[in-house]
Amino acid sequence: MQQFKYPKFNQTVYQQRLTNGLLVTMLPMEGFHKTYAVLSTEFGSIDNAFVPVGKDELLTLPDGVAHFLEHKMFEKDDHDAFDLFGRLGADANAFTSFTQTRYLFSTTSHLHENLDVLLDFVQDPYFTEQTVAKEKGIIGQEITMYNDDPGWRLYLGMLGNLYPNDPMRIDIAGTQESIQKITAEMLYDAYRTFYQPANMNLFIAGKLDIDQTLAWVEQNQAQKHFDTPSLPKRLAVISDPDANDVIPFRTLTMAVERPKVMVGLRGIQQLDDGKQRLLYKWRINLLLAMLFDETSANFLRLYDAGIIDDSFNYNFEIQRGFHLATFSTDTDQMEQFSDAMIQILKEAPEQLEAVKNQFEDIKHAMLGRLINQLDSPENIAVLYGGGYFDHATLLDEIEILRGIEYDELTTAIDQFIKPERLSVYQIVPPTK
């Protein structure tokens, strides 16, 4: 078993890859009564084109299969996994992102039994055409709900601008039309390909005994048969790696009280090492904080002018295959907002130099927020990025952020900020 020690926080992360390929990562947290476990597969909504296990030809599935599969995993022939967790006093949930599907529970007791439930229901698929047909109505209602959410439509609209020919532009749940095409056979093809232990990881944080917990997991896995570990063969996600297909501007009319606007910036930097991806992520996060944080001169100037309000938000996200930054607000001055964001980004080198003396304060504030997350087993487990970040934990991210120097932010500007990859998306109320 590998051990990764973090003496500054008196913490040790333990990691073991089982013979079937499953990676188990554990962080015991002394003094805590709750344990949080997340079982993840590197399979999300963008993974629609792949070569199924045991087959030779590329298969393209309808949008929404990963999310549909997540819904169906809990339901078995004679029980529902949620009921089993409930009887054991655990809270369970699951969610699908563009690149992952995660199944999780939190508990203060019966850790062994709850781990067995988690591993058993995820590793024992049960789909029939009848249960699949029933689920289509449920997921259809969920899609309708998200279609009525202006915030989600704004974000998804921006993804459509930045990635107009790629799967990120489609709702994670799919569309009303695409989910009607999903069959039980498709779910089994996706399951057999992406739910192999070699494509999955189990992260456990909180109250636990390392040797005992690992023995429980090994015992559970030893009772099951798995094929020889292999990684899925996926089709490349990005159709235009140079981002020449970015749409500069679109607008949507929707029943909103005030207009919403988002400026987006698409990144194309390719990094093959997970720790380098984390370094890239935190360099850009630091850069954006210096330019747009609520204590920055830019924020205060735009706030005082009424161009932004408390709804203003900026975010950087990096996932397998793509990354982007977004800047959004509710405002009656949409053009002024987008012009201001674009100008700040275009002038990033000069803007950064003007606030150089604030670097250490902003970095320490970000470190403080990350360190505060160490008080929550749930946050530690949810923030675990998996294989794309070389299985780094929150403790690794803190160390990476701590080591960043001011001069590295100019590298981040050169790598990320390119005016030709900027875009604007607006949601406006109907004209009266």
Side-chain angles (χ1 to χ4, degrees), residues 181-307:
K181 302 173 185 176
I182 295 175
T183 66
E185 181 181 1
M186 291 176 183
L187 296 181
Y188 276 114
D189 276 335
Y191 179 88
R192 285 189 290 263
T193 302
F194 293 103
Y195 280 67
Q196 305 174 57
N199 193 51
M200 304 186 74
N201 62 76
L202 174 64
F203 189 97
I204 312 167
K207 181 181 179 181
L208 60 100
D209 178 278
I210 289 298
D211 294 329
Q212 186 180 57
T213 303
L214 181 61
W216 290 338
V217 176
E218 289 178 326
Q219 181 183 25
N220 178 284
Q221 297 297 276
Q223 298 172 8
K224 302 170 184 176
H225 170 74
F226 300 99
D227 294 332
T228 303
S230 62
L231 293 177
K233 299 176 183 177
R234 317 170 197 253
L235 189 68
V237 172
I238 302 296
S239 56
D240 183 357
D242 295 324
N244 294 316
D245 56 350
V246 169
I247 298 172
F249 175 81
R250 283 193 302 157
T251 186
L252 171 70
T253 300
M254 197 173 177
V256 292
E257 290 293 325
R258 295 182 68 203
K260 293 177 176 289
V261 59
M262 177 176 283
V263 174
L265 175 61
R266 172 174 163 181
I268 64 170
Q269 184 73 19
Q270 297 296 317
L271 298 167
D272 296 327
D273 177 80
K275 296 292 175 62
Q276 287 298 313
R277 294 179 187 127
L278 281 179
L279 177 59
Y280 178 72
K281 166 187 169 181
W282 284 108
R283 283 174 175 173
I284 294 176
N285 276 329
L286 258 174
L287 170 65
L288 297 183
M290 293 186 71
L291 299 182
F292 298 102
D293 188 79
E294 61 184 15
T295 61
S296 69
N298 287 323
F299 177 92
L300 296 173
R301 172 173 55 86
L302 296 172
Y303 191 94
D304 289 342
I307 294 174

Side-chain angles (χ1 to χ4, degrees), residues 299-358:
F299 177 92
L300 296 173
R301 172 173 55 86
L302 296 172
Y303 191 94
D304 289 342
I307 294 174
I308 64 175
D309 59 16
D310 292 337
S311 67
F312 174 74
N313 182 60
Y314 69 92
N315 184 56
F316 175 73
E317 63 177 294
I318 176 170
Q319 299 191 49
R320 172 172 42 86
F322 70 103
H323 62 278
L324 66 147
T326 56
F327 313 85
S328 63
T329 194
D330 296 351
T331 183
D332 294 315
Q333 303 181 59
M334 293 185 293
E335 287 74 18
Q336 291 89 333
F337 171 77
S338 55
D339 288 347
M341 294 295 107
I342 291 170
Q343 181 180 4
I344 293 168
L345 291 167
K346 285 182 176 180
E347 298 174 354
E350 297 80 10
Q351 293 266 347
L352 182 65
E353 183 64 26
V355 294
K356 181 177 180 178
N357 62 338
Q358 300 176 27

Side-chain angles (χ1 to χ4, degrees), residues 34-322:
K34 180 180 287 187
T35 310
Y36 203 90
V38 184
L39 181 61
S40 305
T41 175
E42 300 295 328
F43 176 50
S45 66
I46 66 174
D47 299 310
N48 282 348
F50 57 91
V51 178
V53 168
K55 300 181 181 181
D56 299 320
E57 296 184 3
L58 184 73
L59 176 65
T60 301
L61 295 181
D63 294 314
V65 166
H67 175 261
F68 204 107
L69 186 55
E70 172 224 308
H71 271 235
K72 293 310 301 170
M73 287 307 304
F74 285 91
E75 184 181 356
K76 306 304 177 186
D77 182 25
D78 57 352
H79 70 278
D80 188 292
F82 278 118
D83 295 335
L84 299 182
F85 282 119
R87 293 170 196 163
L88 293 167
D91 291 324
N93 208 339
F95 64 87
T96 305
S97 70
F98 290 110
T99 57
Q100 289 186 327
T101 308
R102 292 181 157 193
Y103 302 87
L104 48 98
F105 72 81
S106 62
T107 187
T108 56
S109 62
H110 303 294
L111 178 58
H112 184 184
E113 293 87 346
N114 280 304
L115 281 172
D116 279 341
V117 172
L118 177 67
L119 292 164
D120 289 347
F121 93 82
V122 175
Q123 293 179 333
D124 181 26
Y126 172 76
F127 318 125
T128 67
E129 294 301 340
Q130 291 75 23
T131 60
V132 168
K134 174 185 174 184
E135 198 69 31
K136 290 177 181 178
I138 298 171
I139 294 179
Q141 292 176 349
E142 184 176 337
I143 292 171
T144 298
M145 178 185 69
Y146 277 107
N147 283 340
D148 291 335
D149 182 343
W152 177 246
R153 293 294 297 275
L154 184 70
Y155 173 68
L156 202 62
M158 176 52 68
L159 289 178
N161 279 11
L162 297 179
Y163 301 94
N165 303 303
D166 301 317
M168 292 77 75
R169 74 188 193 281
I170 305 296
D171 192 307
I172 290 169
T175 66
Q176 296 285 2
E177 295 75 22
S178 70
I179 64 170
Q180 297 307 317
K181 302 173 185 176
I182 295 175
T183 66
E185 181 181 1
M186 291 176 183
L187 296 181
Y188 276 114
D189 276 335
Y191 179 88
R192 285 189 290 263
T193 302
F194 293 103
Y195 280 67
Q196 305 174 57
N199 193 51
M200 304 186 74
N201 62 76
L202 174 64
F203 189 97
I204 312 167
K207 181 181 179 181
L208 60 100
D209 178 278
I210 289 298
D211 294 329
Q212 186 180 57
T213 303
L214 181 61
W216 290 338
V217 176
E218 289 178 326
Q219 181 183 25
N220 178 284
Q221 297 297 276
Q223 298 172 8
K224 302 170 184 176
H225 170 74
F226 300 99
D227 294 332
T228 303
S230 62
L231 293 177
K233 299 176 183 177
R234 317 170 197 253
L235 189 68
V237 172
I238 302 296
S239 56
D240 183 357
D242 295 324
N244 294 316
D245 56 350
V246 169
I247 298 172
F249 175 81
R250 283 193 302 157
T251 186
L252 171 70
T253 300
M254 197 173 177
V256 292
E257 290 293 325
R258 295 182 68 203
K260 293 177 176 289
V261 59
M262 177 176 283
V263 174
L265 175 61
R266 172 174 163 181
I268 64 170
Q269 184 73 19
Q270 297 296 317
L271 298 167
D272 296 327
D273 177 80
K275 296 292 175 62
Q276 287 298 313
R277 294 179 187 127
L278 281 179
L279 177 59
Y280 178 72
K281 166 187 169 181
W282 284 108
R283 283 174 175 173
I284 294 176
N285 276 329
L286 258 174
L287 170 65
L288 297 183
M290 293 186 71
L291 299 182
F292 298 102
D293 188 79
E294 61 184 15
T295 61
S296 69
N298 287 323
F299 177 92
L300 296 173
R301 172 173 55 86
L302 296 172
Y303 191 94
D304 289 342
I307 294 174
I308 64 175
D309 59 16
D310 292 337
S311 67
F312 174 74
N313 182 60
Y314 69 92
N315 184 56
F316 175 73
E317 63 177 294
I318 176 170
Q319 299 191 49
R320 172 172 42 86
F322 70 103

